[in-house]
Amino acid sequence: MPRRSMLFVPGNDERKIRKSCDLNSDSVILDLEDSVPAGEKERARELLGSLLRELSWGGREVCVRINPIYTREGIEDLAYVAKWDTVSCIMIPKAENDLSFIYRASGKNLFPLIETARGFLRIEDIARSEGVVAITWGPADLALSVGGSLDAYENNQFIRALVAMVASSYGVDAIDKVYFNIDDLDGFRRDALEAKKLGYVGKTLIHPKQIDIANEVFTPSKQEIEWALKVIEVFEEASKSGRGAARLGSEMIDVVHYRIAKRILSRVPKTS
Ligand code: COA
Ligand code: MG
């Protein structure tokens, strides 16, 4: 399942929730955590419960972000979400430990958000928990947890690469952080391209304007597909004559390039 674009929608905002049904993000993340004020949590759960019975997202992935699982609100959210059939995935904010118990209790896919210092130190325990299908990270909460600045954490390439490496080590999707400036679409595109280069397969989003760009960036481009097809052709031809390395224009290619090419083609959506 592609997760190129995963749009957050505040769980207490009926208009935006209804709107999200007609948008083309690969996933929606209906949020019960930080976009819902403390006094609105119960109302948001009830609203979501009734809208989930009524609305359809046309087979797209529907996730719910619950409150942190070590809070009363988080435990209540989990009890609700476990009963909502339309929801296939639970996003776990401020994940810090093995999450297998949530998968066992709910039967839903898990999507942890690594956004505390402790979460980072235990990122492998989190990523290898039962039911985890993807991981992402949150620079704002991370900066808060460490006492650093948002800017330093948002642009931290070490953390960004680490999350992608852990995701690939445990066979789950690496999904990049949100980009907070809604009006800077060029900046959003650059940010998404950087994430793609590090191995991310998609991004969490906060506004519908970001969807098309994310879908485009995280879909292999025409040039990437052409390169991949050429590499496969040249490498397979070379293999037939017992050679492991070959020339493609001025570049040497071998089995690594062949595997990269195969992976690029595996990410081409079935419909295109
Ligand atoms: N999901 C669905 N629809 C959205 C949306 C979202 N995340 N963000 C905006 N829209 C809709 C708006 O409702 C509006 O449609 P309308 O005029 O028919 O109501 C349209 O897209 C344009 O929105 P715009 O006026 O540019 O934005 P806004 O001022 O209404 O909202 C935010 C701005 C930031 C409050 C809003 O984008 C938002 O709530 N984002 C998600 C926040 C979130 O969940 N954060 C938690 C994770 S970090
Ligand atoms: Mg957060």
Side-chain angles (χ1 to χ4, degrees), residues 95-167:
E96 295 189 336
N97 294 300
D98 185 293
L99 302 171
S100 305
F101 70 100
I102 303 180
Y103 174 69
R104 290 181 203 154
S106 68
K108 311 273 191 201
N109 289 339
L110 303 183
F111 179 27
L113 179 45
I114 314 290
E115 53 181 348
T116 63
R118 279 191 192 181
F120 264 93
L121 295 179
R122 304 209 187 116
I123 185 168
E124 287 192 69
D125 288 344
I126 296 166
R128 68 179 162 221
S129 304
E130 287 171 50
V132 171
V133 293
I135 57 174
T136 188
W137 62 294
D141 271 299
L142 186 60
L144 179 69
S145 118
V146 182
S149 77
L150 173 57
D151 175 60
Y153 281 90
E154 241 188 328
N155 298 306
N156 193 310
Q157 294 303 317
F158 163 71
I159 293 173
R160 209 177 192 191
L162 180 79
V163 173
M165 282 191 281
V166 172

Side-chain angles (χ1 to χ4, degrees), residues 28-211:
V28 293
I29 307 168
L30 306 168
D31 184 29
L32 291 171
E33 201 213 10
D34 285 352
S35 67
V36 177
E40 287 264 305
K41 301 287 186 191
E42 186 59 40
R43 193 184 76 78
R45 277 193 286 267
E46 277 160 19
L47 176 69
L48 271 193
S50 72
L51 290 177
L52 281 163
R53 276 191 296 276
E54 178 197 335
L55 300 177
S56 160
W57 282 265
R60 291 149 63 217
E61 182 177 48
V62 178
C63 309
V64 169
R65 180 166 75 170
I66 62 172
N67 284 279
I69 195 63
Y70 50 80
T71 65
R72 191 179 61 85
E73 296 294 359
I75 290 169
E76 283 196 38
D77 292 342
L78 180 60
Y80 274 78
V81 177
K83 290 187 215 146
W84 293 336
D85 292 339
T86 317
V87 176
S88 61
C89 176
I90 305 180
M91 186 182 215
I92 318 284
K94 302 176 180 75
E96 295 189 336
N97 294 300
D98 185 293
L99 302 171
S100 305
F101 70 100
I102 303 180
Y103 174 69
R104 290 181 203 154
S106 68
K108 311 273 191 201
N109 289 339
L110 303 183
F111 179 27
L113 179 45
I114 314 290
E115 53 181 348
T116 63
R118 279 191 192 181
F120 264 93
L121 295 179
R122 304 209 187 116
I123 185 168
E124 287 192 69
D125 288 344
I126 296 166
R128 68 179 162 221
S129 304
E130 287 171 50
V132 171
V133 293
I135 57 174
T136 188
W137 62 294
D141 271 299
L142 186 60
L144 179 69
S145 118
V146 182
S149 77
L150 173 57
D151 175 60
Y153 281 90
E154 241 188 328
N155 298 306
N156 193 310
Q157 294 303 317
F158 163 71
I159 293 173
R160 209 177 192 191
L162 180 79
V163 173
M165 282 191 281
V166 172
S168 82
S169 302
Y170 293 101
V172 303
D173 286 348
I175 308 296
D176 195 39
K177 66 184 169 68
V178 297
Y179 187 80
F180 290 109
N181 189 330
I182 295 163
D183 296 325
D184 180 11
L185 294 179
D186 288 340
F188 175 79
R189 178 184 291 274
R190 276 196 302 277
D191 200 51
L193 281 166
E194 279 168 19
K196 177 178 175 170
K197 285 188 195 165
L198 288 175
Y200 285 87
V201 298
K203 220 165 155 48
T204 46
L205 314 180
I206 47 173
H207 194 282
K209 285 197 290 192
Q210 299 176 328
I211 297 173

